Amino acid sequence: MTTPAPTSPSAPTSPSIFAAPPATAIYGEQLDGDRMPLLYEQLRADHGPVAPVTVAPDITAWLVLGHRELLRLTREEQDFSHDPRRWRQLREGRVPADSPILPMVGWRPALLYADGQQHRRMRAAVSDALARINGHELRRGVRATAERLIAEFADGKRADLVSDYARKLPLMVITGLLGLDEPTGQKLVKAIAGLAVSNADSADASKRMGAILLALIEEKRHRPGNDVTSALLHHPARLTDEEVLHNLVVMFVAGNQTTVNWIATTLRILLCDPAFRSSLSGGHLSVDDALDLVLWRFPPTQNFPARYATRDLRFGDQDIRAGDMLILGLAAANADPDILPEDGVPVVGNRSHLAFGAGPHTCPAQDPARLITRTAVDTIRHRLPDLELAVSETELAWIKSPWSKGLAALPVRFTEPQLPRGPHAPRS
């Protein structure tokens, strides 16, 4: 598959074009991860590659559905800024102080919200801190943690692979990378979950998350260790404590739920798609091939906020005003029929999906996230070889969030767990 080179948007020619079409809500109790793909295709049919939406009560935005358009959005910082202080609706005082969208798009001194030199400065610190992670040690740690979790539910011959496995494993690994102890890490992940749901409790969840990370930064400033927090604090870029705090949020807090969803969705496909599972077991697919197909078809982050137009322009057959918010429709762009093969199935080995974004702001933590996910999936496949779904696939429930595509639960059963024996076996 080839992707045409992006082209520059052109400015509109008449002020009358700013009569925006009616917006469609992409949030609410009636919408979950299972229903959203149909909505994206309806929006594409009605509006083309860029559609008017609401992402919270009274909060309007443009959802970028087209693969080519999303590449333009992520690469052309001169027209699409990351800085939410440009957001016109906020500047005009039309965003309620308790809006559930604010914790997701409120400005922070972090690389996700910066352009140009400021972004490159913080990106260098983040990239160097992540590069210090030893992949072999991380893999061993993930495998040991995975086997410990499996041992905790193995005797019952039943489990919920979301709450008992996928939700716990990244937390336990990531908190170790941050330098947090496990009880504090559990409090952090509860705050993250509250933030991702995007409801009335999101603001309180954001405050709790900040308090936990500030306490960690204070400790590591005076007692550094071999962890990512300490690496950021003592990097030559000389990040302030506030910058370290918010870059930790970007690196790991935003990535935690993504990794949870990636693990759970891959396991769901293995359980529900016999051909997929057979191809993996027979060696026709590698685990990495399976992970990439999941990223194409079911990206764990379906929508990602946000960019802000720096000027009036024509983009994706829509007339965009300076200060408009644009949402990265990652799941919709991956399903864009203009870039998929005729059969609509992504080619195995093709990693041109947009699950991690694109351009200078591509997710900096995707390599450790892939390692964690690959090891989590591989470990449970070998330790629970007769794993099967305990309910009908149609009974599986999805979390309700405009941003995240993930299962609420994945109940399974098994009969013969193959746990390691001897002195190094995990303890329950």
Side-chain angles (χ1 to χ4, degrees):
M1 182 184 71
T2 59
T3 302
T7 57
S8 298
S10 57
T13 58
S14 168
S16 64
I17 57 180
F18 291 125
T24 300
I26 60 169
Y27 70 94
E29 287 298 311
Q30 76 280 9
L31 293 174
D32 61 21
D34 202 30
R35 295 180 175 90
M36 294 297 270
L38 290 176
L39 177 61
Y40 301 145
E41 294 316 304
Q42 186 61 56
L43 288 170
R44 200 191 312 274
D46 291 345
H47 302 285
V50 177
V53 297
T54 57
V55 295
D58 302 317
I59 304 299
T60 58
W62 298 98
L63 180 64
V64 180
L65 306 156
H67 192 277
R68 297 175 180 84
E69 287 73 18
L70 200 143
L71 288 177
R72 290 166 57 181
L73 182 72
T74 56
R75 291 172 177 172
E76 298 182 2
E77 290 186 331
Q78 74 276 12
D79 290 323
F80 304 108
S81 172
H82 298 76
D83 192 336
R85 292 171 295 187
R86 291 179 177 267
W87 184 19
R88 180 165 40 85
Q89 196 169 352
L90 182 65
R91 293 201 319 267
E92 294 175 354
R94 295 187 290 115
V95 180
D98 60 351
S99 174
I101 191 70
L102 281 178
M104 297 292 292
V105 302
W107 181 82
R108 302 173 185 267
L111 76 170
L112 185 61
Y113 306 94
D115 301 313
Q117 180 58 37
Q118 186 69 349
H119 169 256
R120 289 190 291 273
R121 168 180 162 266
M122 289 188 280
R123 178 85 182 202
V126 168
S127 296
D128 289 348
L130 291 171
R132 292 181 53 175
I133 298 173
N134 184 301
H136 296 296
E137 291 182 4
L138 179 58
R139 184 179 297 106
R140 285 194 294 269
V142 174
R143 184 179 295 113
T145 304
E147 290 180 340
R148 171 185 162 191
L149 290 173
I150 294 168
E152 289 177 352
F153 59 70
D155 289 345
K157 306 296 176 66
R158 286 180 173 267
D160 173 1
L161 293 186
V162 173
S163 62
D164 296 333
Y165 190 69
R167 194 173 291 154
K168 290 182 177 181
L169 180 56
L171 161 66
M172 296 168 74
V173 174
I174 288 171
T175 52
L177 294 174
L178 291 177
L180 276 170
D181 59 70
E182 191 171 332
T184 307
Q186 290 174 350
K187 294 178 183 177
L188 177 63
V189 106
K190 288 180 181 177
I192 297 167
L195 184 65
V197 169
S198 193
N199 59 24
D201 297 324
S202 295
D204 181 64
S206 182
K207 291 177 184 177
R208 287 185 281 119
M209 176 184 68
I212 292 168
L213 292 176
L214 280 174
L216 172 67
I217 289 166
E218 177 69 17
E219 176 189 349
K220 296 300 179 181
R221 177 70 76 182
H222 297 97
R223 291 181 294 277
N226 184 25
D227 52 70
V228 171
T229 306
S230 299
L232 282 178
L233 284 166
H234 299 90
H235 191 272
R238 301 178 66 84
L239 271 59
T240 66
D241 286 3
E242 188 179 21
E243 288 175 331
V244 171
L245 164 67
H246 292 291
N247 280 293
L248 288 177
V249 171
V250 170
M251 278 196 300
F252 289 115
V253 175
N256 176 74
Q257 188 62 44
T258 300
T259 309
V260 171
N261 293 346
W262 197 3
I263 294 170
T265 301
T266 305
L267 293 173
R268 177 182 72 87
I269 297 299
L270 290 175
L271 290 167
C272 298
D273 188 333
F276 191 92
R277 185 169 185 167
S278 176
S279 294
L280 188 58
S281 301
H284 303 294
L285 283 180
S286 69
V287 173
D288 272 311
D289 291 334
L291 297 182
D292 282 318
L293 286 174
V294 169
L295 291 178
W296 268 108
R297 296 163 59 188
F298 312 102
T301 300
Q302 57 181 341
N303 299 309
F304 195 81
R307 302 291 192 271
Y308 306 89
T310 62
R311 63 183 179 90
D312 296 347
L313 52 86
R314 181 78 176 169
F315 175 61
D317 298 325
Q318 300 288 359
D319 298 307
I320 311 299
R321 293 185 63 184
D324 278 0
M325 175 192 287
L326 298 103
I327 302 297
L328 283 69
L330 304 177
N334 276 354
D336 186 342
D338 285 348
I339 56 92
L340 288 175
E342 289 185 6
D343 61 3
V345 178
V347 176
V348 173
N350 186 337
R351 290 189 179 179
S352 60
H353 57 73
L354 298 172
F356 294 114
H361 284 254
T362 301
C363 174
Q366 58 182 286
D367 288 341
R370 176 178 288 271
L371 191 153
I372 292 168
T373 304
R374 181 200 305 128
T375 308
V377 171
D378 216 25
T379 302
I380 205 164
R381 286 178 59 236
H382 288 93
R383 297 306 178 194
L384 302 176
D386 63 347
L387 193 68
E388 63 180 22
L389 200 61
V391 298
S392 165
E393 184 180 1
T394 59
E395 296 179 61
L396 295 176
W398 299 79
I399 59 175
K400 292 177 172 61
S401 167
W403 316 113
S404 183
K405 175 163 183 155
L407 288 166
L410 185 60
V412 296
R413 56 180 173 247
F414 49 90
T415 59
E416 297 294 336
Q418 305 295 312
L419 298 179
R421 305 297 179 187
H424 301 292
R427 297 178 180 178
S428 59

